[in-house]
Amino acid sequence: MIAIPYLTALTTYFSYGLLFAFGQFRDFFRKIFDWCSSNNLQGYAPICLGLEDFYIRRLYLRIQDCFGRPISSAPDAWFDVVERHSNDNNKTLKRTSKVSRCLNLGSYNYLGFAAADEYCTPRVIDTLKKYSPSTCSTRVDGGTTALHNELEECVASFVRKPAALVFGMGYVTNSAILPVLMGKGSLIISDSLNHNSIVNGARGSGATIRVFQHNMPAHLEEVLREQIAEGQPRTHRPWKKIMVIVEGIYSMEGELCKLPEVIAICKKYKAYTYLDEAHSIGAVGKSGRGVCELLGVDTADIDIMMGTFTKSFGSCGGYIAGSKELIEYLKYTCPAHLYATSISPPAAQQIISSIKVLLGEDGSSRGAQKLAKIRENSNYFRSELQKMGFEVLGDNDSPVMPIMLYNPAKIPAFSRECLRQNIAVVTVAFPATPLLLARARICISASHSREDLTHALQVISNVGDLVGIKYFPAEPTKQQQDGKTVKFE
């Protein structure tokens, strides 16, 4: 849990309260002017109503230049950010022909495969010439090529499960699979900070949903015991099945899941385990096989393994890995497999090639070097940020490191000043995070050099001093320590 300093919480509440009050004040006069002017709705109710619309109009649009910034190059260590301008106080943004060359601290390009690669890129180009960009069909019609079968075998072998099924979109992998596996009379127990795709998939399943406190196995066991004892609502019959859903690395916190403890509890109470490795597969572990390898967990203890190819593999799509019986069942029942266009052949080839690089099957040691580099870069950058006095979330080895901003005024201030100094960062606020817990999410890549990271740290430190987000005292530098040393003769 994040412990917000009292003064920070107070000023953040005050800032949002002030914005809310002025927004309501402006809306009041807007209604008067709209009433006086002609009504163009012609009897229709406004299609956008409620607090969400209010938040977008009165808060988000003020700082929308900090989000959705277009780029015009590959998302490598450095990329080109297209400059935009607004003539109506950020209500609309227009692109210009100017670009800024910026250090990329926002993309999920953990292993650097999103840029041109000496092994992957030629094979992807050959696949594009042979198969075209799309199969233009679903998997069950004409959308399965030899590449798709090879990819599923490659993924299953890589994550050490008997079989796997791939999809064209990572978000859909969760949101379409859960309604197939769970239904009325089933129980889903989900971490409170699980990704939105899991939340929507669980809601769409019709199963009963219970939430346990983030990354707290003790509370998970408490919820499990209580729900097993009570049974289904009203009838109190035993649950048809129970599934516990966790993530390998939590995307907004950068924390590693306490997987060994979760598995022990699931085994104790005979609950299925569903592991989302979107941000951990490829990025952590000695050979890039995710949190199971990093934490010493046997993949046989995980009933369903999910992951995406958009982070570490420089491609798109997602996968489900499990028993052969599970995968066969999904092939006949999952709408994402039956009705959605299959994953693009060049994207499939990119995934196959990048996995071969990680495993050294390309005849080089570049895969091992990339894994060592992402671990080294992540731990160096995190430790240096903490020494500077920033409040940084997450665990060592995680390439995701959120820097807490809290106050709404500091979101655009931090983002714009970093961009002005050619550092591209991603700021995250409500509704992606709780209202008080706005943050800047840094994503480190193996393609970053030590010089890149040192430069970024210097800029972020200066911006942090300017904006006022160093919530902890900084550690003294080596020069300061040497200056305080007194020699006695």
Side-chain angles (χ1 to χ4, degrees), residues 47-124:
I47 197 167
C48 298
L49 279 175
L51 285 176
E52 291 81 3
D53 179 53
F54 174 84
Y55 177 84
I56 292 170
R57 289 185 291 101
R58 299 307 183 196
L59 281 78
Y60 174 80
L61 289 181
R62 292 173 177 266
I63 60 172
Q64 72 161 327
D65 61 297
C66 300
F67 306 101
R69 288 173 176 149
I71 65 172
S72 59
S73 65
D76 204 359
W78 289 79
F79 64 178
D80 295 327
V81 178
V82 178
E83 296 183 11
R84 299 176 294 176
H85 72 91
S86 176
N87 296 322
D88 53 7
N89 297 317
N90 263 9
K91 190 174 182 179
T92 58
L93 294 170
K94 295 182 179 179
R95 298 184 185 184
T96 68
S97 58
K98 298 179 181 179
V99 297
S100 299
R101 190 69 175 169
C102 297
L103 180 62
N104 181 7
L105 295 180
S107 299
Y108 300 136
N109 185 24
Y110 295 146
L111 296 180
F113 283 118
D117 182 85
E118 61 187 72
Y119 182 83
C120 300
T121 305
R123 286 160 177 79
V124 171

Side-chain angles (χ1 to χ4, degrees), residues 62 69 107 119 160 182 195 215 250 266 271 277 290 303 325 370 376 379 401 450 452 477 483:
R62 292 173 177 266
R69 288 173 176 149
S107 299
Y119 182 83
R160 293 171 175 162
M182 307 298 284
H195 191 264
N215 224 7
Y250 290 90
C266 289
E277 287 216 83
D303 299 291
E325 294 77 13
K370 284 177 178 289
E376 176 189 339
N379 292 337
M401 48 199 76
R450 181 55 64 94
D452 291 337
T477 62

Side-chain angles (χ1 to χ4, degrees), residues 140-269:
V140 295
D141 293 331
T144 298
T145 67
L147 273 178
H148 292 85
N149 293 328
E150 181 185 356
L151 173 59
E152 288 173 344
E153 292 174 3
C154 184
V155 169
S157 174
F158 184 68
V159 300
R160 293 171 175 162
K161 296 296 281 186
L165 188 63
V166 298
F167 305 92
M169 182 179 178
Y171 186 98
V172 169
T173 307
N174 276 328
S175 59
I177 285 292
L178 289 174
V180 176
L181 297 177
M182 307 298 284
K184 188 176 181 181
S186 301
L187 174 65
I188 293 175
I189 302 181
S190 179
D191 188 287
S192 61
L193 296 183
N194 273 341
H195 191 264
N196 181 261
S197 60
I198 295 174
V199 174
N200 283 342
R203 288 173 177 171
S205 70
T208 300
I209 304 169
R210 295 292 180 265
V211 174
F212 68 95
Q213 294 174 14
H214 171 59
N215 224 7
M216 291 187 64
H219 189 244
L220 167 62
E221 182 170 17
E222 182 182 327
V223 173
L224 261 171
R225 286 170 61 92
E226 180 183 339
Q227 292 303 313
I228 291 174
E230 291 184 359
Q232 297 184 39
R234 293 190 299 275
T235 64
H236 301 292
R237 293 176 180 173
W239 298 102
K240 293 180 180 179
K241 53 186 166 182
I242 301 174
M243 182 178 290
V244 175
I245 306 178
V246 293
E247 295 186 31
I249 291 178
Y250 290 90
S251 58
M252 287 298 168
E253 281 66 38
E255 295 178 1
L256 296 170
C257 171
K258 295 179 180 178
L259 193 57
E261 295 91 331
V262 170
I263 290 175
I265 293 169
C266 289
K267 283 185 174 181
K268 181 178 179 181
Y269 295 95

Side-chain angles (χ1 to χ4, degrees), residues 39 232 291-292 340:
N39 189 351
Q232 297 184 39
V291 291
C292 291

Side-chain angles (χ1 to χ4, degrees), residues 421-481:
Q421 300 189 43
N422 299 105
I423 302 292
V425 298
V426 170
T427 50
V428 187
F430 179 85
T433 66
L435 192 65
L436 295 184
L437 303 182
R439 64 199 68 181
R441 184 177 64 175
I442 305 296
C443 291
I444 298 300
S445 171
S447 61
H448 289 133
S449 67
R450 181 55 64 94
E451 291 74 22
D452 291 337
L453 299 181
T454 303
H455 170 65
L457 286 166
Q458 183 61 51
V459 171
I460 291 174
S461 178
N462 293 337
V463 175
D465 289 329
L466 180 67
V467 177
I469 56 173
K470 293 184 177 180
Y471 296 105
F472 299 109
E475 292 184 12
T477 62
K478 187 176 180 181
Q479 291 80 1
Q480 291 172 333
Q481 291 176 337

